[in-house]
């Protein structure tokens, strides 16, 4: 009985590893499409700062990610702006928010092209 549980742990671990590698590869590709270094995708906190730069938001928005409940709003706004800078609409933004594990690879490996956000006045 214990051998079966251990086997599921290995399978679950492999599935998790594949999922993590897919998400890192997707973020790496998105960063390079936007003219940023791909390796930034694997550096915690810095990767979000780079994402803020890609969507045209100030770096201090990262403070919003540290505040409970406000972090959800910040993340939603970042994903909506991420969809915009890659020429996608509101439906795609909702997909990024709710099903990021599907829509991030679509954004990364699809034909979406990056358009820099307008400079803030």
């Amino acid at each position: 009985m214990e051998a079966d549980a251990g086997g599921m742990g290995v399978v679950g671990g492999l599935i998790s590893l594949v999922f993590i590698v897919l998400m890192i590869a997707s973020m790496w590709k998105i960063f390079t499409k936007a003219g940023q270094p791909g390796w930034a995708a694997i550096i915690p906190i810095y990767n979000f700062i780079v994402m803020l730069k890609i969507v045209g938001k100030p770096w201090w928005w990262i403070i919003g990610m540290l505040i409970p409940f406000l972090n959800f709003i910040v993340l939603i706004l970042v994903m909506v702006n991420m969809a915009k800078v890659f020429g996608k609409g509101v439906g795609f933004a909702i997909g990024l928010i709710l099903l990021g594990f599907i829509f991030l690879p679509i954004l990364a490996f699809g034909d979406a092209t990056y358009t820099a956000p307008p400079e803030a006045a």
Side-chain angles (χ1 to χ4, degrees):
M1 188 75 160
E2 288 183 45
D4 290 337
M8 286 303 292
V10 171
V11 171
L14 287 174
I15 291 170
S16 295
L17 182 62
V18 167
F19 176 78
I20 290 167
V21 168
L22 177 64
M23 291 297 98
I24 290 172
S26 297
M27 290 305 297
W28 192 299
K29 181 72 174 169
I30 290 169
F31 283 17
T32 56
K33 274 186 172 185
Q36 300 298 319
W39 56 263
I42 61 174
I43 309 296
I45 301 173
Y46 182 64
N47 60 6
F48 196 74
I49 293 171
V50 171
M51 196 179 307
L52 288 171
K53 184 177 179 182
I54 289 170
V55 300
K57 299 300 177 197
W59 67 267
W60 56 263
W61 272 40
I62 194 122
I63 295 167
M65 289 302 292
L66 303 174
I67 301 171
F69 301 109
L70 179 59
N71 57 0
F72 291 118
I73 296 168
V74 170
L75 188 61
I76 288 169
L77 292 172
V78 168
M79 289 298 123
V80 167
N81 285 297
M82 180 74 75
K84 282 182 187 177
V85 297
F86 280 96
K88 302 294 183 182
V90 174
F92 198 88
I94 292 169
L96 283 172
I97 295 163
L98 299 177
L99 297 169
F101 61 94
I102 295 172
F103 282 81
L104 281 172
I106 291 171
L107 187 63
F109 301 108
D111 60 354
T113 56
Y114 177 72
T115 304
E119 293 294 323

